[in-house]
Amino acid sequence: MDGVDPAVLAAPVVALDGPDKVSGAARYTFDVALPGMLHAKVLRSPHAHARIAAIDVGRAAALPGVACVVTGADAATLPDPRYGVFLRDQPVLPWDKVRYVGDMVAAVAAVDEITAYRALELIDVRYEPLPAVMTIEAALAPGAPLLFDEPAAGNPVPVGANATSVKEPRANVLYEFTYRNGDADAVLAASDRVFEDRFAFSRINHFHLEPHVNLARVTGDQIEIWSCNQDPFVLRNDLARVFGRPGHCVRVHASYVGGGFGGKSYCKMEPLVVLLAMRAGRPVRLALTMDESLLTLTKHAGELILTTGVTADGRLTARKSEIRLDGGAYADASVMTALKTGYRITGPYRWQAVATRACAVRTNCVPAGSFRGFGGTQASFASESQIDMIARRLGLDPYEFRRINLLGPGEPFQPNDSAIDSDLVQGLDEVARRLGYHRRPPAAASTLARGMGLSIGIKDGGGTGNHAQALIKVMPSGRAIVHTATVEIGQGATTALSRIAAVTLGLPLDWVRYGAIDTDHTPLNNGTHVSCATTVTGAAIERAALDVRRQALDFAATQLGCAVEALTLDGWAVRRGNVTHPLEPMIAAHFGGAGFEFIGRGQMKVPFDAKAPLNAVNLFWIPNWVGTEVEVDRETGRVRVVRLVAGADAGRSINPAACRGQIEGATLQAYGQALFEELRYDGPLPANATPLAYRVPLASDLPERYESFTAEHAQGPGPFGAKGIGESGMLGVASAIANAIEDAVGVRLTALPFTPERVLAALDARQTSMMTR
Amino acid sequence: MPVLAIHRSRKLIPPFALLRPRTPREAAAMQADTAGAAFMAGGIDLVNRLKFGDAVARVIHLGAVEGLDGIDESAAGLTIGAGVTHDRLQTSPVIRARLPALAETWSTVGNIRVRLKGTLGGNLMAREPAYDFALAAMAAGAELRFATADGTERRIAAASLTDAAGRPEPQPGLLTAIALPPADRLRLGFDRSLRPALSVAVGLDVDGARVAGGRVAIGCAFVGPLARALPLDAPLAASALADAAGGIAHRLAAALPEPASDGHASAAYRRRMVEVLLRRELVVLASQLR
Amino acid sequence: MSTSVEIALTINGTPRRLTVAPNLVLADLLREALGLTGCKIGCDQAVCGACTVLVDGLPTTACTTFAFELDGKSLVTIEGLGDGGTHPVQRAFLDHTAFQCGFCTPGMILSVVALLARHPDPDEATIRQWLSANVCRCTGYQMIIDAVRAAALTGAT
């Protein structure tokens, strides 16, 4: 809808979910209870890799208060007992082997949690331990033990031109994506300089404060579940498939979600909860502890080897990339993550040629899956680190090196893909200006040395061939309920999507409510991820609102006996010339009874396109401009972030406060990962998988000065020129800090996190190499 | 503390008998009487252990025990009750005036909830390597006083809480007080900047501007908090301490047992940083003495 | 040896007498017996502070407090803030969008109430140190800190 007054969107709003959340009235899946519900607990594997030789649940099942016990034998009888995204290898419960410490082995439903815990202690499992592969290297070594003896179900995601997408190409490799444009080998051979660098990305957890929680009830042939899942319709499909039920016999309810970040995307333990409910004949609630959530899903760790060519005067020529992500024990969303990491590795730059291979490796670690940034984090860390390294090796200013190679607005990311829709140089300049980058003093030789670093992370946004549907119901009084299935996970969907509806309808925001999500009533949506809510769901809502406007005008024209063209909709009234006719009396007069609702429908679909590399043109681009000033203690290696500036482009902010919150929240998550946050392994055992041991950023960890900005380059495809930004802040911080460390003390860290010991080791090595010259 | 807990929950806390003694002797007698009994003051550590499934049948709650929460100064020094919370220590006018480094450092220990509920006694008796009050007590050369079941008082040096390798030494009875030497003869310094890899506390015995001796306590680096005497050949003037800081720190660090290697840091890094942080802290303390 | 304990406390201003098992955790008393579900349980290890409530005005984690410890004390939960209206700290959180998913928010608000009671005009360092007792995974803390400053300006104690 053109011509919306920018002041309307700029006006601050109180978030619609605010009153619930500040009063304690907000209900999450965690708070849902049903009469007679049972409580479930899960028995988990203490072994990283072992055959399940025998499970005896007799004593557990006989414990008073236990309603049922289920194992892999029960899961194996289900019509299709495996789940995963495109490739499905994760069993509802394993019947043959356990594949990571924490893998679900059996589950109990009982009258209360303590009884369920006691029952777990009575389950006898005889394991035959197998050798475990805890690293990518171990998993790929010749003769390495295999995690799976049979192929995964499903097919790899289809891709478009110049790309390949292959299922299980090699032992312990779940999936491989390749992309090539031009002849990278030839271009590299002809380049003035070629640099090969290797980067290691670490493993972190989502650490959403609300754990994974589900409550299932099975009544006859109806499966009903209250789930923390971010993707209600994907879940509905998965449950229908797993249990062999038609889709209209599965119903998913979503509530507020206490943090997702991708950790609650796609099928997790929902089928298990449904199975328990089925066997118990009563509703079953399974709430994981945070420790269990830590052992449910992580971000992909991995290795990225970038071979990049340049001309002598600093123009990038070609890049070859070898990417190996640690997918952990089960597929989850590793197919898409590998694909997206591979596609995004080129960054926001212009290339003559590109060749990329990205695979997801199977290891006996916690499964890795969807996590805010989704491959863009890994890719940006490697790419934006190497960009700085190359600039310095060439004796060029890292800012200038970026500037001359950046794609401009209107230039396609890759051939046959969409064009960059942000002014990347403008954002870089904004960061540099705020930081004082160009005026920074030269690095000092003192014990405490300061330096600055810049970074432009980037990923595609909106999904691949994504779509969404929307309904808006408007009552006689003009009050409206918006029905879409974008789940409120804290990203501000409730307010932003309601605001799109309100602005398009021309009605006050407090006349609009975001409807409860129930797959029986809410129109279909592909899921709350890939920063797509504003552009995809928002577009569907905009169209639904325009549909309401058309219907209202048609109705009024009929009532007033005039042409539609003679009327304009103004608030909840029509104007004909100088006369205003409120709609509510017109509706009451015509309909009587309980009144009438205008039901507007809208949908938005990005078409598939086999000419585009990913089989659909990307809807928009999410840059993240970051600048940071660090202080490095040369004697201890400790890095202190003195200033952090982070920016994103919202296209047009639907809710500026929410944009700021998303940028700052994501940036701090990535900041924690850069400096200290990590799920570590000690051999086959997770080394810090409790909330106390797993350190996340606290308010006391904030940089001395921390600021963000939300640019509005107004080139987005969404309503009013909007784009999504939820993932932006994840992308650039790690490389910006690495770049600042090199600026300060001349050493380069290529592995996360940048612990004091690693920094000191790099300083020692530099000292040694300088002394030996 | 365990770092992997597949089953950990407040629902696992077993039913226990709640005992509420009114005197330290009564509390000590309750502990001696029964196996499977644990003291509870703030309860931070106890509740955490219970959630891991620790079998504790009797909880001896110290909330009603008299005489555990004083902060008193006499000619003999400062006596701090074991029931004093971190927050009361940090806000105490006596501590702020007499041991300002301790008060200032204690404003950032744990977090405000931990400081409001946790007690110094609980912190000491947990013997956790990452808990810093043991470092303060050891660096200060504190004496710990225990009430016993038979009514006598047992006194030990704070350093005796753990052995030479940092392992906990059994200490029966109820810790009632931590006695510090007179504040005008003690200087304390802390460097917690490298936590969770390392935490260092230094206590100097001073006489005017001369340093007669001292102690270094090291946290986060061994199985438990570790104390060592400051390796001074002879008393020295504050100015000489600054010059000697490097050598002293080197000698102490080199003589330490092998520190832990874990996900936070390697043994080599810890040993090296003990030397750096100790050297720096000695220089700071020396400058304060002049 | 006692198998149950009698406690007398006030909950959100209302005096109550309860009989509780010694091992009854306050978080479960609130959520399961009293229906006060504003107290969320995140980590169950006193790290995240989502379950923060005020006991005699001081922040404590309900997941690590036994009900028996509340004898003779006053307890305030998020439901009891604002006496039926909107407390100035809640107002500040709304005005500054100092929340996103909201799971940490009740505990965070109560923690801020306690902060302003002790430090009516806190500086940045004091705010950051105090709020390190409450994990927020969504906001990056800055907008919460803005709300704290705004609440301090309105004299919200």
Side-chain angles (χ1 to χ4, degrees):
Chain A
M1 187 181 154
D2 296 327
V4 65
D5 181 357
V8 169
L9 291 177
V13 289
V14 172
L16 299 186
D17 51 344
D20 281 346
K21 288 175 176 176
V22 302
S23 67
R27 266 170 46 106
Y28 300 80
T29 310
F30 189 77
D31 300 309
V32 177
L34 290 174
M37 78 181 180
L38 299 167
H39 298 267
K41 290 295 171 197
V42 176
L43 184 68
R44 294 180 181 272
S45 168
H47 298 286
H49 198 197
R51 219 159 268 300
I52 302 171
I55 305 186
D56 184 351
V57 304
R59 291 190 301 141
L63 186 69
V66 171
C68 68
V69 185
V70 298
T71 67
D74 301 292
T77 66
L78 296 174
D80 189 351
R82 290 185 292 177
Y83 51 90
V85 185
F86 288 103
L87 298 183
R88 305 189 299 270
D89 62 9
Q90 188 160 13
V92 174
L93 282 174
W95 44 83
D96 54 349
K97 296 203 293 184
V98 291
R99 295 179 176 87
Y100 73 99
V101 171
D103 201 358
M104 303 193 288
V105 178
V108 171
V111 293
D112 52 36
E113 290 181 62
I114 185 62
T115 305
Y117 273 127
R118 296 279 170 257
L120 291 184
E121 290 164 16
L122 298 176
I123 299 176
D124 296 315
V125 185
R126 190 155 54 81
Y127 294 102
E128 287 163 8
L130 298 166
V133 289
M134 302 308 298
T135 63
I136 292 172
E137 190 181 350
L140 297 180
L146 300 180
L147 267 79
F148 289 88
D149 303 317
E150 85 251 283
N155 293 306
V157 54
V159 289
N162 296 334
T164 68
S165 179
V166 177
K167 169 182 175 179
E168 297 175 310
R170 293 182 290 289
N172 284 337
V173 177
L174 170 77
Y175 169 80
E176 184 174 273
F177 166 80
T178 71
Y179 174 75
R180 49 180 64 243
N181 173 40
D183 185 342
D185 286 320
V187 174
L188 286 174
S191 299
D192 294 325
R193 304 284 298 276
V194 175
F195 300 101
E196 180 183 297
D197 294 290
R198 177 182 220 112
F199 301 90
F201 196 81
S202 56
R203 175 185 285 113
I204 61 170
N205 284 105
H206 306 72
F207 209 90
H208 33 73
L209 292 197
E210 181 197 32
H212 294 92
V213 51
N214 291 278
L215 172 52
R217 173 168 69 190
V218 180
T219 322
D221 61 355
Q222 301 290 316
I223 293 173
E224 193 172 12
I225 186 166
W226 287 257
S227 179
C228 64
N229 199 291
Q230 295 173 226
D231 313 315
F233 282 90
V234 175
L235 180 60
R236 183 175 77 173
N237 286 353
D238 274 313
L239 291 174
R241 179 182 51 76
V242 168
F243 291 95
R245 304 284 174 98
H248 70 311
C249 293
V250 179
R251 186 175 181 186
V252 180
H253 301 273
S255 308
Y256 289 128
V257 173
F261 317 113
K264 296 168 178 168
S265 270
Y266 306 117
C267 205
K268 298 278 178 286
M269 69 295 297
E270 294 87 353
L272 174 60
V273 187
V274 170
L275 180 60
L276 286 165
M278 229 170 241
R279 291 297 165 88
R282 281 165 65 175
V284 173
R285 175 181 190 260
L286 173 62
L288 300 193
T289 63
M290 185 175 272
D291 313 51
E292 291 179 282
S293 284
L294 297 180
L295 296 178
T296 295
L297 199 73
T298 71
K299 196 181 236 295
H300 285 79
E303 303 158 0
L304 306 95
I305 304 173
L306 273 52
T307 307
T308 303
V310 283
T311 63
D313 65 347
R315 304 251 164 212
L316 292 168
T317 56
R319 169 173 282 169
K320 281 186 71 171
S321 307
E322 276 290 332
I323 298 166
R324 302 191 304 197
L325 296 183
D326 186 337
Y330 296 109
D332 202 277
S334 291
V335 167
M336 288 308 300
T337 312
L339 179 153
K340 289 295 180 105
T341 315
Y343 191 60
R344 294 163 183 165
I345 195 64
T346 54
Y349 301 106
R350 208 175 288 119
W351 302 93
Q352 296 172 30
V354 168
T356 305
R357 186 162 71 153
C359 66
V361 179
R362 289 167 146 153
T363 67
N364 293 115
C365 299
V366 178
S370 187
F371 191 131
R372 198 178 199 178
F374 201 90
T377 357
Q378 292 85 341
S380 292
F381 170 59
S383 177
E384 281 301 286
S385 294
Q386 197 191 39
I387 289 293
D388 238 58
M389 293 160 76
I390 293 172
R392 288 172 187 279
R393 288 161 178 161
L394 297 178
L396 297 173
D397 171 10
Y399 164 90
E400 189 59 26
F401 184 58
R402 283 181 171 82
R403 198 188 60 76
I404 63 177
N405 286 288
L406 278 173
L407 292 163
E411 286 191 72
F413 181 77
Q414 285 291 316
N416 298 314
D417 203 340
S418 55
I420 296 302
D421 50 8
S422 297
D423 188 334
L424 298 174
V425 175
Q426 190 183 107
L428 188 63
D429 284 340
E430 181 67 22
V431 168
R433 181 187 66 79
R434 286 171 180 245
L435 199 61
Y437 182 79
H438 300 300
R439 298 186 322 267
R440 72 192 186 286
S446 50
T447 304
L448 296 176
R450 292 202 172 187
M452 290 188 182
L454 301 174
S455 168
I456 310 178
I458 196 159
K459 73 184 289 282
D460 48 273
T464 307
N466 206 359
H467 66 276
Q469 299 173 252
L471 288 178
I472 302 180
K473 298 202 304 173
V474 185
M475 301 169 205
S477 66
R479 303 318 194 266
I481 302 182
V482 173
H483 290 281
T484 63
T486 294
V487 177
E488 176 62 71
I489 56 174
Q491 84 281 55
T494 307
T495 304
L497 297 179
S498 298
R499 199 172 206 192
I500 291 169
V503 170
T504 308
L505 289 168
L507 299 174
L509 182 59
D510 66 0
W511 283 24
V512 178
R513 191 164 67 74
Y514 194 73
I517 297 172
D518 171 348
T519 55
D520 271 10
H521 302 293
T522 312
L524 186 142
N525 186 293
N526 272 333
T528 310
H529 48 208
V530 73
S531 304
C532 72
T534 303
T535 51
V536 181
T537 306
I541 289 172
E542 191 182 28
R543 292 170 194 187
L546 291 171
D547 187 22
V548 168
R549 292 178 71 94
R550 267 190 301 274
Q551 290 181 43
L553 282 168
D554 283 346
F555 168 75
T558 308
Q559 299 308 303
L560 297 173
C562 66
V564 165
E565 294 72 26
L567 300 175
T568 53
L569 192 60
D570 188 1
W572 197 235
V574 292
R575 256 193 311 109
R576 183 184 182 183
N578 287 331
V579 186
T580 299
H581 303 271
L583 281 166
E584 187 166 11
M586 232 185 279
I587 296 167
H590 180 78
F591 286 100
F596 175 76
E597 288 187 337
F598 293 98
I599 303 179
R601 253 169 62 161
Q603 65 181 63
M604 189 279 206
K605 163 77 180 131
V606 178
F608 292 118
D609 176 359
K611 294 191 313 303
L614 300 188
N615 201 39
V617 167
N618 278 301
L619 187 57
F620 61 92
W621 297 91
I622 308 179
N624 176 220
W625 300 281
V626 183
T628 176
E629 179 180 15
V630 303
E631 180 183 82
V632 181
D633 184 327
R634 292 179 188 276
E635 275 195 305
T636 65
R638 182 166 169 252
V639 176
R640 194 170 69 87
V641 176
V642 177
R643 284 198 66 190
L644 178 54
V645 179
D649 175 19
R652 176 71 68 79
S653 296
I654 309 295
N655 182 354
C659 290
R660 179 186 163 197
Q662 285 286 286
I663 297 169
E664 292 183 359
T667 302
L668 203 70
Q669 274 187 308
Y671 166 94
Q673 181 180 19
L675 293 177
F676 52 77
E677 184 181 334
E678 185 178 14
L679 181 69
R680 293 186 299 275
Y681 269 88
D682 189 4
L685 297 181
N688 60 331
T690 64
L692 192 55
Y694 183 86
R695 180 184 166 196
V696 293
L698 308 174
S700 47
D701 292 312
L702 282 166
E704 192 178 302
R705 285 170 60 192
Y706 180 27
E707 64 184 271
S708 68
F709 64 90
T710 305
E712 292 187 290
H713 295 175
Q715 297 172 47
F720 325 126
K723 301 204 286 188
I725 56 150
E727 295 172 275
S728 172
M730 294 296 298
L731 304 174
V733 176
S735 52
I737 293 175
N739 296 343
I741 293 171
E742 182 164 20
D743 193 53
V745 290
V747 300
R748 168 58 58 170
L749 274 84
T750 57
L752 296 175
F754 310 137
T755 61
E757 182 164 1
R758 283 182 172 159
V759 174
L760 191 63
L763 286 165
D764 286 344
R766 182 163 187 265
Q767 180 87 330
T768 307
S769 79
M770 283 170 66
M771 279 168 17
T772 56
R773 277 191 208 138
Chain B
M1 254 168 236
V3 289
L4 167 65
I6 293 174
H7 300 129
R8 186 191 66 77
S9 167
R10 70 196 176 284
K11 300 291 186 178
L12 285 172
I13 300 176
F16 52 79
L18 180 62
L19 308 176
R20 293 197 266 201
R22 305 205 80 86
T23 69
R25 180 181 181 175
E26 203 185 335
M30 285 172 177
Q31 183 204 46
D33 268 349
T34 51
F39 289 129
M40 175 179 172
I44 291 173
D45 281 290
L46 176 64
V47 172
N48 193 34
R49 284 198 287 124
L50 290 171
K51 291 181 186 177
F52 279 98
D54 260 30
V56 171
R58 302 165 110 78
V59 169
I60 307 167
H61 193 259
L62 303 173
V65 174
E66 62 203 14
L68 296 183
D69 54 10
I71 302 178
D72 304 308
E73 186 173 28
S74 72
L78 280 162
T79 307
I80 307 173
V84 168
T85 63
H86 301 281
D87 184 64
R88 277 202 51 230
L89 181 77
Q90 186 251 315
T91 56
S92 155
V94 174
I95 302 292
R96 284 188 166 181
R98 311 297 279 137
L99 292 170
L102 181 61
E104 190 183 317
T105 302
W106 239 251
S107 66
T108 58
V109 158
N111 59 45
I112 186 61
R113 290 186 277 102
V114 166
R115 293 195 295 276
L116 287 167
K117 194 132 195 267
T119 62
L120 304 181
N123 187 288
L124 282 170
M125 297 313 292
R127 259 74 69 89
E128 287 286 340
Y131 283 7
D132 280 353
F133 193 69
L135 304 191
M138 290 173 172
E143 179 186 78
L144 305 181
R145 298 175 182 166
F146 290 80
T148 67
D150 64 14
T152 58
E153 182 179 77
R154 199 163 57 75
R155 297 182 174 194
I156 62 165
S160 303
L161 275 176
T162 58
D163 66 16
R167 288 180 294 252
E169 296 276 26
Q171 301 292 352
L174 176 67
L175 177 66
T176 58
I178 302 104
L180 304 181
D184 59 355
R185 299 216 295 270
L186 177 65
R187 287 290 182 279
L188 292 173
F190 300 87
D191 194 328
R192 307 174 77 242
S193 64
L194 291 181
R195 284 178 60 95
L198 183 65
S199 188
V200 173
V202 181
L204 299 180
D205 301 322
V206 304
D207 181 7
R210 291 186 68 73
V211 177
R215 292 148 301 278
V216 176
I218 300 164
C220 304
F222 300 94
V223 160
L226 195 75
R228 285 292 182 274
L230 202 60
L232 298 184
D233 297 320
L236 35 145
S239 53
L241 177 64
D243 296 332
I248 295 168
H250 181 78
R251 277 176 64 187
L252 186 139
L256 287 172
E258 181 79 347
S261 273
D262 58 19
H264 298 303
S266 69
Y269 180 78
R270 284 183 159 115
R271 187 188 298 278
R272 185 171 169 185
M273 290 304 108
V274 167
E275 182 172 342
V276 171
L277 297 191
L278 176 57
R279 188 199 80 230
R280 289 180 176 182
E281 199 56 42
L282 288 173
V283 169
V284 167
L285 287 169
S287 73
Q288 288 171 359
L289 281 171
R290 293 199 206 119
Chain C
M1 175 167 158
S2 53
T3 51
S4 71
V5 185
E6 303 256 319
I7 59 174
L9 69 159
T10 64
I11 301 179
N12 293 331
T14 303
R16 300 287 305 260
R17 303 194 80 87
L18 300 169
T19 304
V20 299
N23 67 336
L24 176 64
V25 174
L26 179 61
D28 293 329
L29 171 69
L30 292 176
R31 290 185 58 86
E32 294 168 14
L34 301 179
L36 294 168
T37 57
C39 175
K40 306 302 180 193
I41 300 163
C43 72
D44 201 3
Q45 204 172 20
V47 169
C48 76
C51 65
T52 300
V53 291
L54 298 182
V55 175
D56 288 347
L58 300 177
T60 190
T61 38
C63 77
T64 41
T65 305
F66 291 116
F68 76 76
E69 297 178 73
L70 273 287
D71 188 29
K73 298 191 196 272
S74 81
L75 171 69
V76 172
T77 71
I78 189 67
E79 292 88 347
L81 208 59
D83 287 323
T86 303
H87 188 281
V89 172
Q90 288 170 314
R91 182 80 254 150
F93 269 59
L94 289 170
D95 291 343
H96 293 270
T97 316
F99 56 88
Q100 290 180 30
C101 85
F103 208 73
C104 78
T105 303
M108 186 74 73
I109 287 175
L110 292 170
S111 184
V112 171
V113 170
L115 163 64
L116 294 176
R118 179 180 272 211
H119 302 283
D121 186 19
D123 60 16
E124 178 86 9
T126 303
I127 298 172
R128 288 184 176 192
Q129 167 53 226
W130 191 281
L131 292 186
S132 67
N134 294 82
V135 173
C136 176
R137 196 54 162 163
C138 293
T139 64
Y141 303 107
Q142 298 264 98
M143 293 168 83
I144 295 174
I145 293 171
D146 287 351
V148 173
R149 282 206 218 90
L153 280 175
T154 66
T157 50

